[in-house]
Amino acid sequence: MILSMNCMSRGALLSSVAIFAMTAGAEAQDRDQSRDSVYQLGEIYVSGGGRSGSGSGGGVGGSTVTREQTWTFEKQTLDQAVNLVPGVNGTQSANGQRNETDIFVRGFGRWQVPLMIDGVRVYLPADNRLDFSRFLTGDIAEIQIQKGYASVLDGPGGMGGAINLVSIKPVKAFESELNAGTMFDNRGAFQGWNSYARVGSRQEKFYVQGSVNQLDQDFWSLSRGYSPYPAQGPYAGSLEDGGRRNGSDTRDWRINLKAGYTPNETDEYSINYIKQSGAKGAPLNVYNNPPSSQNSFWLWPKWDVENLSFLSNTQLGDASYVRTKLYYNTFYNLLSAYDDITYSSQSNNGRFNSYYDDSARGGSVEAGTELIPMNTLKTAFHYRQDFHAEWNHNRPTHPTMAMLEPRQNQAQTTWSIAGEDTFHVTPDFDLVAGISYDKYSINRAEEWDSGGGFIYEYPKGGSDALNWQTAAIWRYNETGQVHFSVSDRTRFPTIFELYSQRFGTAIPNPNLGPERATNYELGWKGQIASNVKGTAAIFYSDVRDLIQAVRVSPTQSQTQNINQGHFYGFEASFEAQLSAQFMIGGNYTFIERNVSDVSVPGFQPVGVPTQKAFLYATWRPIEPLAITPNLEVTSDRWSDVLVGTQGPNAPIRAAFPDLYIRTGAYTLANINVNYKFTENVEVAGGVRNLLDQNYELAWGLPQPGRTFYLKARARF
């Protein structure tokens, strides 16, 4: 079986992890890059660390991924980049039909960890099924990741942390950058290309910048170790024959425009416009022929996000400030379901074009003061309106039964008021306390009755929540810090969780309440020796009222707050400059998730490996040349087995009788070779999955085999 052949043994994994724990690496190179090129107005707040220089530089927990890391380790998309830091993993969504990636922060997924771009949340009110592969990293100065403790000042929803993509800001009177790269598979075939271009100017009292980032991939290829299942056996073979992965094409691009006014050294006012557009296929589960759902042939011609925002910072005297944020976001999505693998007709029952057309408008005001000695007080108010519209064009290619649904509208309003106080007990010791009150209400909830041919409206829903958090931070020397934090946060349900009838098998629950987690962390960072630095953290999360579908009759379920959970573990990172020519680093994470579930026998939380490690080394035999091999190692993780029990799929269910299965263990060897011709021009090449390992992150969804790349970068 492919699962057993390609998962490393548990004993071998534990041996590898023991070595990694001893040499466990840091969050990589060039941590001290200039802060001037980071758009600091777009950073989220790190309690105890301020905004300027937040990231890994101070405060409570969290990690930062820098631009140089994404370049060195060839991380072109957000889901790839987050794997560089401990406690976080990007993975394939267990529902392979959607071809989406998810990100887990210490066990919390996309519903509990908000995603922001320059501090403005990207939220899909229907179901918030963000696909993190659609977010490119070319124009990102840093990726802020708050783990467990995300400040209440940054708005509602940070139950398990927060992720923020902070863009670049120009630093010179004129500057430009051009990147270009190509990709090849393990047979030498050209897969696709990526590019990034930026031009900007910073003057005494203003700055302007524009950039475009593009990734265009025709396919990726499976490992040579993959082989399709034989025509004879417990099931009738696979629709995937190996080589080029069917349905693996993607097209993504993003433009980022920025203009700012800086009348003095402290004040800043900026207008930002970001538009990204994506299109993707959806590779089929390799175990199913026919697919477990006959309606499995899906494509996404459109996956588009747009963001217009105004951000400001105004200093009031020497001790106070006011920050404002106004934004307007849109999301447009088209999902097309086809009859068969030819993707040429949409005539069968249940085939459709499904349209989502969403928008959001809102803003926030944050104020802070240090008028009282030894004390810093901050308050914030957030307000947001989300609008969701959906409709289907059912059986669009059928000559007589095609039907276009009318537009159905849903809307919700969310607001939050928060305060945080930092008491500076001594110059080296801070106590932090924060509290917020969050509330949301459903303003509109339309649905189409296809049998009756009319639009009706569900009962309105809504809920509120009180959140609190506290932390103690001791900076025992110039480089060392210990902190302890407790954060009690919630997240509100999506429209899908409130109202989805799941094709007639579920009862809406407009009174569904929020999920809640209390996160505890004890953390340390510091200098172990003059050339060695590291971090470590122990964490525990008490999770309550998790949302789960509960069987309420033989044929129907309802989404309710029933589950309880305990997530716990530890993480560590390490970085050592052994000589002028040689550096090593990496990180290690151990996490357990236990969830009690009363409606699904044998339920297992999916997507998160118990153990994860990353190790790298950089060798500079001569000054312009840097050779950086690295290893990514994870244990297995639970995955759904998505297959029916009746009809043509019954033999597959016989071969995979359980609802959940362990998969996803791998050891990936990668290498990057970088050569600087001048200070401004460099080229790089490398190999990902050097050993061409065949592995799966979710059941039936094998990942890319060996991949080669070449790229160049010029900055002026």
Side-chain angles (χ1 to χ4, degrees):
M1 188 188 300
I2 206 169
L3 292 174
S4 59
M5 289 191 303
N6 294 289
C7 292
M8 64 184 299
S9 72
R10 191 172 185 88
L13 175 70
L14 291 173
S15 299
S16 299
V17 166
I19 297 172
F20 279 42
M22 296 173 61
T23 61
E27 296 152 23
Q29 306 157 311
D30 297 311
R31 183 73 62 196
D32 299 323
Q33 68 172 359
S34 170
R35 295 286 306 166
D36 290 340
S37 63
V38 177
Y39 179 56
Q40 295 178 34
L41 269 185
E43 290 186 306
I44 58 176
Y45 182 69
V46 178
S47 297
R51 289 185 184 271
S52 179
S54 53
S56 66
V60 179
S63 299
T64 300
V65 181
T66 68
R67 280 199 91 208
E68 287 307 306
Q69 290 177 283
T70 59
W71 168 265
T72 299
F73 299 111
E74 185 60 6
K75 304 300 184 181
Q76 298 179 13
T77 58
L78 177 59
D79 62 300
Q80 298 171 359
V82 298
N83 282 317
L84 295 175
V85 300
V88 187
N89 70 287
T91 188
Q92 187 80 20
S93 171
N95 187 346
Q97 188 176 29
R98 301 185 64 88
N99 187 25
E100 293 173 342
T101 56
D102 200 352
I103 293 175
F104 287 90
V105 177
R106 290 182 178 170
F108 294 98
R110 54 191 169 185
W111 286 284
Q112 297 103 2
V113 179
L115 173 68
M116 289 166 273
I117 301 178
D118 288 334
V120 176
R121 186 173 184 185
V122 180
Y123 178 70
L124 313 181
D127 53 23
N128 205 35
R129 285 195 177 108
L130 289 168
D131 183 2
F132 295 101
S133 296
R134 310 275 66 81
F135 296 88
L136 307 179
T137 59
D139 62 346
I140 301 304
E142 65 180 22
I143 302 169
Q144 290 182 286
I145 306 172
Q146 287 302 113
K147 295 178 276 189
Y149 190 111
S151 175
V152 291
L153 296 175
D154 283 309
M159 173 177 161
I163 300 173
N164 185 35
L165 310 183
V166 187
S167 61
I168 302 167
K169 187 172 74 173
V171 298
K172 298 186 293 186
F174 176 80
E175 62 185 55
S176 61
E177 180 177 357
L178 179 63
N179 299 350
T182 58
M183 299 164 284
F184 304 88
D185 73 357
N186 48 15
R187 294 162 176 81
F190 175 78
Q191 289 181 322
W193 59 277
N194 62 86
S195 64
Y196 171 68
R198 178 175 65 91
V199 61
S201 174
R202 187 169 187 172
Q203 303 297 321
E204 181 181 358
K205 292 191 175 182
F206 72 90
Y207 57 85
V208 292
Q209 179 176 274
S211 68
V212 59
N213 192 187
Q214 186 162 4
L215 174 61
D216 194 325
Q217 189 163 358
D218 293 329
F219 64 91
W220 51 261
S221 291
L222 293 163
S223 162
R224 288 175 179 263
Y226 169 83
S227 59
Y229 287 95
Q232 305 299 321
Y235 36 83
S238 172
L239 288 172
E240 176 57 65
D241 59 357
R244 300 184 180 188
R245 182 72 160 111
N246 300 330
S248 60
D249 57 308
T250 61
R251 307 283 185 273
D252 291 282
W253 59 265
R254 179 165 67 218
I255 60 172
N256 192 330
L257 306 177
K258 194 180 305 295
Y261 174 55
T262 53
N264 52 50
E265 292 183 356
T266 60
D267 297 354
E268 184 174 349
Y269 306 87
S270 177
I271 295 177
N272 310 278
Y273 174 74
I274 297 173
K275 179 177 175 58
Q276 65 182 64
S277 181
K280 63 176 181 176
L284 296 169
N285 188 299
V286 300
Y287 296 112
N288 296 347
N289 188 7
S292 59
S293 168
Q294 293 299 297
N295 184 6
S296 287
F297 302 100
W298 287 7
L299 298 177
W300 274 263
K302 292 286 186 180
W303 206 100
D304 300 348
V305 174
E306 212 166 350
N307 186 346
L308 177 65
S309 63
F310 169 79
L311 279 67
S312 75
N313 180 73
T314 304
Q315 190 74 20
L316 304 176
D318 295 331
S320 305
Y321 72 89
V322 173
R323 284 175 171 256
T324 64
K325 186 184 304 176
L326 299 172
Y327 55 84
Y328 178 75
N329 299 340
T330 66
F331 171 68
Y332 183 76
N333 178 274
L334 170 58
L335 162 62
S336 298
Y338 290 84
D339 293 335
D340 54 41
I341 202 169
T342 66
Y343 297 93
S344 58
S345 65
Q346 299 171 274
S347 297
N348 293 341
N349 187 32
R351 305 321 189 253
F352 54 80
N353 288 324
S354 174
Y355 298 87
Y356 279 8
D357 188 4
D358 298 351
S359 64
R361 60 194 181 200
S364 65
V365 178
E366 177 191 319
T369 183
E370 295 182 348
L371 288 175
I372 303 173
M374 302 176 61
N375 200 78
T376 302
L377 177 64
K378 295 179 171 69
T379 60
F381 176 74
H382 296 260
Y383 181 83
R384 179 182 177 110
Q385 291 180 308
D386 284 286
F387 304 91
H388 169 68
E390 62 180 64
W391 65 96
N392 274 13
H393 191 180
N394 296 310
R395 309 177 76 168
T397 64
H398 195 284
T400 60
M401 302 190 71
M403 192 273 293
L404 181 64
E405 293 180 1
R407 185 182 178 106
Q408 302 135 58
N409 296 288
Q410 291 93 39
Q412 66 182 47
T413 300
T414 308
W415 61 270
S416 171
I417 185 167
E420 183 181 275
D421 186 75
T422 302
F423 178 51
H424 311 289
V425 181
T426 72
D428 301 320
F429 184 63
D430 291 340
L431 292 176
V432 183
I435 190 170
S436 73
Y437 176 74
D438 305 339
K439 184 177 178 62
Y440 91 100
S441 58
I442 298 296
N443 310 115
R444 200 171 185 181
E446 294 180 345
E447 183 59 84
W448 169 249
D449 187 317
S450 57
F454 60 89
I455 287 180
Y456 63 96
E457 193 158 9
Y458 292 113
K460 306 295 193 301
S463 186
D464 60 355
L466 186 68
N467 308 277
W468 62 270
Q469 52 193 197
T470 186
I473 305 161
W474 176 38
R475 294 172 288 275
Y476 58 86
N477 60 33
E478 290 184 357
T479 60
Q481 175 182 294
V482 175
H483 67 263
F484 176 73
S485 67
V486 183
S487 180
D488 188 84
R489 298 291 300 273
T490 56
R491 75 97 180 172
F492 293 130
T494 64
I495 289 173
F496 176 85
E497 292 168 317
L498 292 169
Y499 297 119
S500 176
Q501 297 187 42
R502 296 171 175 82
F503 304 103
T505 65
I507 300 172
N509 184 3
N511 296 315
L512 189 64
E515 296 181 331
R516 180 176 291 274
T518 305
N519 304 306
Y520 304 85
E521 177 181 336
L522 176 63
W524 164 86
K525 71 172 184 176
Q527 205 82 14
I528 302 172
S530 60
N531 62 339
V532 182
K533 59 184 179 179
T535 69
I538 301 172
F539 55 89
Y540 174 82
S541 297
D542 178 20
V543 189
R544 306 177 298 284
D545 299 325
L546 282 170
I547 294 172
Q548 174 69 41
V550 178
R551 183 66 59 185
V552 294
S553 76
T555 60
Q556 288 188 308
S557 65
Q558 186 181 56
T559 304
Q560 299 178 6
N561 300 98
I562 61 165
N563 293 19
Q564 313 296 314
H566 303 280
F567 304 171
Y568 58 91
F570 68 90
E571 60 188 47
S573 70
F574 181 87
E575 187 173 79
Q577 186 74 50
L578 301 182
S579 70
Q581 292 79 34
F582 194 66
M583 170 188 283
I584 63 171
N587 57 67
Y588 169 73
T589 305
F590 171 84
I591 184 170
E592 283 281 358
R593 295 189 300 166
N594 300 315
V595 177
S596 60
D597 183 279
V598 298
S599 67
V600 180
F603 174 82
Q604 297 291 344
V606 301
V608 177
T610 304
Q611 301 183 76
K612 167 181 175 282
F614 174 70
L615 179 68
Y616 79 91
T618 296
W619 177 44
R620 297 182 181 273
I622 57 176
E623 181 58 31
L625 179 65
I627 302 171
T628 306
N630 64 86
L631 284 176
E632 301 176 44
V633 181
T634 78
S635 65
D636 52 15
R637 67 200 75 192
W638 286 107
S639 176
D640 296 302
V641 179
L642 301 171
V643 63
T645 59
Q646 304 297 323
N649 295 119
I652 306 174
R653 172 56 70 190
F656 299 97
D658 297 321
L659 294 176
Y660 301 92
I661 195 169
R662 286 277 193 179
T663 186
Y666 60 79
T667 301
L668 298 184
N670 315 290
I671 189 168
N672 182 79
V673 179
N674 198 92
Y675 188 87
K676 279 193 172 185
F677 288 100
T678 69
E679 187 63 27
N680 299 324
V681 178
E682 58 191 311
V683 297
V687 187
R688 291 178 295 183
N689 193 1
L690 183 66
L691 303 180
D692 201 31
Q693 183 173 126
N694 183 30
Y695 68 103
E696 298 175 352
L697 298 181
W699 179 76
L701 302 172
Q703 297 300 295
R706 185 186 299 115
T707 304
F708 302 88
Y709 62 88
L710 293 170
K711 58 184 180 180
R713 176 168 69 176
R715 294 179 284 188
F716 302 100

